[in-house]
């Protein structure tokens, strides 16, 4: 982790109708830092994640990536999205394209990488996430865990500055969750800047530099995993952890 801010949110607010889903959000994520965002359902975690590359709009405040203000639309936004990898609950792979084609499409079309070079890099990334044997299959022929690892490889192929993960394991069968988390832990160790929304507390303990706890649209607490899990400062965090640990 460095002290160089990569993603900075200042005073960000968003409503869905009367619901104030993001309330005066201040968050700085430094280069090579892993921030895990946790909290009860409906606390605004996924909305926060999705505003960082403007999949969700917001009404006020500022978001900067590497010092550049988040563009509203057009080519500048497309360029920024290429620098911000995103992995969702659902894998969002193109069903009519092979695994390798899914991974190489972005670099070829958006980055202008030559096909042969993109394929070579694509195979390296599929090997890195442990699915190189599946390169010429189609998404429907893979398990959910394999598809999610392909989705991670596809994001990495764009060489992003930061990776956003929005509940990446919540749609997976229990036995597939660890194979995805293991890939994410190895990325964290390699120094990828990551913002991860998850219910997986074990991952938060192992991989996070900082844990951000959200409730009712606000960031209630931010601390190291050790401090947060052993000594939460707010009643809401204590209540949340109490429910998790007793169930």
């Amino acid at each position: 982790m460095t002290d160089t801010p990569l993603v900075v949110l200042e005073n960000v607010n968003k409503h869905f109708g009367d619901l104030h889903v993001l309330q005066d959000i201040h968050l700085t994520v430094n280069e090579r830092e892993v921030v895990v965002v946790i909290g009860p359902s409906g606390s605004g975690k996924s909305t926060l994640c999705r505003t960082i590359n403007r999949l969700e709009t917001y009404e006020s405040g500022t978001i900067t990536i590497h010092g550049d203000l988040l563009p509203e639309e057009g080519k500048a936004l497309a360029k920024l999205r290429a620098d911000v990898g995103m992995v969702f609950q659902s894998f969002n792979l193109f069903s009519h394209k092979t695994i390798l084609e899914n991974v190489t499409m972005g670099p070829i079309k958006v980055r202008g990488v030559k096909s042969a070079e993109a394929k070579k890099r694509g195979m390296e990334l599929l090997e890195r996430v442990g699915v190189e044997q599946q390169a010429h299959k189609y998404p429907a022929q893979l398990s959910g865990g394999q598809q999610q690892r392909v989705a991670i490889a596809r994001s990495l192929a764009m060489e992003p500055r930061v990776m956003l993960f929005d509940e990446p394991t919540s749609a997976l069968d229990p036995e597939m969750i660890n194979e995805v988390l293991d890939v994410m832990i190895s990325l964290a160790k390699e120094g990828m800047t990551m913002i991860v929304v998850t219910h997986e507390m074990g991952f938060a303990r192992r991989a996070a530099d900082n844990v951000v706890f959200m409730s009712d649209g606000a960031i209630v607490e931010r601390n190291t995993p050790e401090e947060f899990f052993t000594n939460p400062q707010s009643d809401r965090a204590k209540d949340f952890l109490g429910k998790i640990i007793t169930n």
Side-chain angles (χ1 to χ4, degrees):
M1 187 170 66
T2 71
D3 292 330
T4 308
L6 183 59
V7 179
V8 180
L9 290 80
E10 291 184 336
N11 213 31
V12 172
N13 284 275
K14 177 177 177 62
H15 291 77
F16 287 130
D18 294 335
L19 194 63
H20 197 173
V21 288
L22 293 179
Q23 301 183 29
D24 301 325
I25 297 293
H26 290 269
L27 179 66
T28 297
V29 180
N30 290 330
E31 282 184 353
R32 303 176 72 86
E33 184 177 9
V34 178
V35 171
V36 174
V37 184
I38 63 173
S41 294
S43 58
K45 307 183 300 292
S46 288
T47 305
L48 171 72
C49 196
R50 293 166 69 88
T51 56
I52 292 172
N53 68 351
R54 220 183 252 283
L55 285 173
E56 295 281 1
T57 57
Y58 54 96
E59 287 115 35
S60 64
T62 60
I63 299 177
T64 57
I65 310 241
H66 228 271
D68 296 325
L69 269 174
L70 199 58
E72 288 194 22
E73 54 193 23
K75 283 185 175 172
L77 180 59
K79 181 180 182 305
L80 178 117
R81 282 194 178 142
D83 287 338
V84 181
M86 181 109 194
V87 178
F88 303 88
Q89 290 180 26
S90 53
F91 322 124
N92 293 354
L93 299 175
F94 293 109
S95 59
H96 62 292
K97 295 199 174 289
T98 66
I99 296 310
L100 184 58
E101 286 169 342
N102 266 280
V103 172
T104 57
M105 253 180 82
I108 291 169
K109 287 189 181 303
V110 179
R111 298 276 197 219
V113 176
K114 298 268 194 305
S115 177
E117 188 184 328
K119 283 180 182 173
K120 180 174 179 288
R121 173 83 175 129
M123 285 304 297
E124 287 169 0
L125 288 169
L126 291 175
E127 185 174 352
R128 180 174 174 186
V129 300
V131 289
E132 70 277 12
Q133 304 295 327
Q134 319 296 331
H136 302 295
K137 292 184 179 175
Y138 289 87
Q141 296 173 278
L142 273 61
S143 71
Q146 288 171 326
Q147 288 189 60
Q148 192 60 297
R149 285 184 280 156
V150 173
I152 293 172
R154 179 182 57 183
S155 278
L156 290 173
M158 297 297 287
E159 300 188 346
R161 287 176 158 175
V162 56
M163 293 269 286
L164 310 176
F165 293 86
D166 184 14
E167 305 267 15
T169 59
S170 64
L172 299 177
D173 292 334
E175 70 271 18
M176 295 176 189
I177 289 173
N178 280 340
E179 64 190 53
V180 172
L181 293 179
D182 286 348
V183 170
M184 292 168 63
I185 286 167
S186 71
L187 282 179
K189 286 178 178 167
E190 289 164 19
M192 174 61 76
T193 309
M194 294 162 64
I195 301 170
V196 183
V197 173
T198 186
H199 292 293
E200 297 294 332
M201 297 302 136
F203 173 81
R205 282 175 180 267
R206 284 177 64 191
D209 295 301
N210 274 284
V211 173
V212 168
F213 175 72
M214 289 187 73
S215 182
D216 301 318
I219 292 178
V220 178
E221 214 169 304
R222 176 176 181 164
N223 218 326
T224 63
E226 175 69 20
E227 278 296 310
F228 178 77
F229 287 109
T230 59
N231 187 27
Q233 299 299 300
S234 63
D235 289 339
R236 278 185 282 183
K238 286 173 188 167
D239 181 54
F240 175 76
L241 290 171
K243 285 175 179 162
I244 289 175
I245 289 158
T246 51
N247 288 346

